[in-house]
Amino acid sequence: MRKIILLASVLFLTNTVVQAQKKKDLLAEIDKLRQELRTKDGELVEARKNERVSQSKVKTMEAQVADLKETNATLLANMNSFTELSNKKASNLQTSQEIIKEKDRQLNVINDAITANDSINLAVFSKFKNAIGGDNLKISNGTIHIILPNTTLFGENDKNYIVDDKAKPTLEKIAATLNANPDLNIIVEGNSNALKLDGKKLIDNWDLSSRQAASVVRVLQTDYKVDPKRMEALGKSEYGTEGIETVTRIIIDPKFNNFYNLVKDNMKN
């Protein structure tokens, strides 16, 4: 009987110890689960916090994407405008280049015409120099000037307007060169500064210089057959005089109408 009681007691104690151990293990497991739950709760809170941060970042990025799209659209529009403007500028530049090219061509035509005209003047100048020497010759403003003292043409009397016979050989040489170059115009410019005029036969120096110029033209026409249509007689009184000594100028003038027409025709073409 005692053995039974003892055995029962042992079984009871054993069972009690086992139950206590199980309870202890169960409590430990519960604590562990609670700890894990707290950990998971913390992770869940952190995850929700991160989710909110992520959502905020997403919204920010969406706003940035929208801004970038708008900026890109603006850039594309500006690029199209720039391209259009560049095309217009390129077209304008090409037009300007064509205009400049045409102006250069016209300037070259004018320069060539001027060069040709100057060459003609130099050739004629050389002919006059060979005929009468170079002391009385000069080129001024594209024209050849033959400067003859009035004492050579009309003698020592400053009121004389009839060409002296001694001057005719010089006028003959001049006429020969003029006749050999029919494309040149001639202006005979009289200058005089006589101090005492009677006011009857000669009114003043305008009258005297005009008569002297006409006298030279008359000799060139009558004695040496220079075409009168090519010549003009011009009186300058004392206002065109070079220095103290009065002179008569024979101005060899190229036909500027021909020069102008040459330039105009070449510019049109």
Side-chain angles (χ1 to χ4, degrees), residues 7-24:
L7 179 60
S9 298
V10 170
L11 290 173
F12 177 78
L13 289 173
T14 301
N15 185 49
T16 301
V17 171
V18 170
Q19 290 296 327
Q21 185 64 37
K22 286 184 178 180
K23 183 177 180 181
K24 182 179 179 180

Side-chain angles (χ1 to χ4, degrees), residues 114-132:
I114 291 174
T115 300
N117 191 67
D118 289 342
S119 297
I120 293 172
N121 281 346
L122 288 174
V124 175
F125 182 87
S126 297
K127 291 179 181 179
F128 280 112
K129 185 176 180 180
N130 292 333
I132 63 173

Side-chain angles (χ1 to χ4, degrees), residues 39-68:
T39 301
K40 295 299 180 184
D41 287 341
E43 291 178 352
L44 178 61
V45 170
E46 184 67 23
R48 287 176 177 174
K49 179 180 178 182
N50 290 337
E51 181 184 9
R52 288 193 296 271
V53 172
S54 297
Q55 288 178 347
S56 177
K57 289 182 178 180
V58 168
K59 290 181 180 180
T60 301
M61 293 179 67
E62 287 177 345
Q64 291 177 347
V65 169
D67 289 340
L68 288 174

Side-chain angles (χ1 to χ4, degrees), residues 10-214:
V10 170
L11 290 173
F12 177 78
L13 289 173
T14 301
N15 185 49
T16 301
V17 171
V18 170
Q19 290 296 327
Q21 185 64 37
K22 286 184 178 180
K23 183 177 180 181
K24 182 179 179 180
D25 291 342
L26 182 60
L27 290 173
E29 184 69 20
I30 290 172
D31 288 338
K32 181 181 179 181
L33 290 175
R34 284 176 177 173
Q35 183 63 34
E36 289 180 354
L37 180 61
R38 284 194 294 272
T39 301
K40 295 299 180 184
D41 287 341
E43 291 178 352
L44 178 61
V45 170
E46 184 67 23
R48 287 176 177 174
K49 179 180 178 182
N50 290 337
E51 181 184 9
R52 288 193 296 271
V53 172
S54 297
Q55 288 178 347
S56 177
K57 289 182 178 180
V58 168
K59 290 181 180 180
T60 301
M61 293 179 67
E62 287 177 345
Q64 291 177 347
V65 169
D67 289 340
L68 288 174
K69 287 182 178 180
E70 183 178 355
T71 301
N72 188 50
T74 302
L75 288 174
L76 288 175
N78 291 339
M79 184 175 294
N80 290 333
S81 299
F82 177 76
T83 302
E84 183 179 356
L85 181 61
S86 297
N87 291 335
K88 288 182 179 179
K89 287 185 175 180
S91 177
N92 292 337
L93 179 60
Q94 183 177 2
T95 302
S96 298
Q97 289 175 338
E98 291 175 355
I99 293 174
I100 292 172
K101 184 177 180 181
E102 176 62 18
K103 294 299 182 184
D104 286 340
R105 188 191 69 80
Q106 293 175 352
L107 287 174
N108 288 333
V109 167
I110 294 174
N111 286 332
D112 290 344
I114 291 174
T115 300
N117 191 67
D118 289 342
S119 297
I120 293 172
N121 281 346
L122 288 174
V124 175
F125 182 87
S126 297
K127 291 179 181 179
F128 280 112
K129 185 176 180 180
N130 292 333
I132 63 173
D135 293 339
N136 298 324
L137 290 173
K138 74 173 184 178
I139 294 180
S140 177
N141 297 324
T143 60
I144 299 170
H145 289 217
I146 303 173
I147 303 171
L148 301 174
N150 283 354
T151 53
T152 299
L153 287 173
F154 308 108
E156 296 297 332
N157 184 352
D158 62 358
K159 302 175 187 60
N160 187 29
Y161 53 85
I162 303 299
V163 174
D164 194 294
D165 289 339
K166 293 180 181 180
K168 289 186 177 181
T170 300
L171 292 179
E172 182 178 9
K173 293 176 182 179
I174 293 172
T177 304
L178 292 175
N179 288 332
N181 295 273
D183 291 333
L184 300 174
N185 292 326
I186 306 113
I187 299 174
V188 178
E189 179 188 283
N191 297 275
S192 63
N193 60 356
L195 298 178
K196 294 182 179 180
L197 297 171
D198 57 15
K200 297 179 181 178
K201 187 175 182 180
L202 291 171
I203 301 173
D204 51 23
N205 278 304
W206 287 107
D207 186 14
L208 177 57
S209 61
S210 298
R211 293 192 185 199
Q212 288 174 337

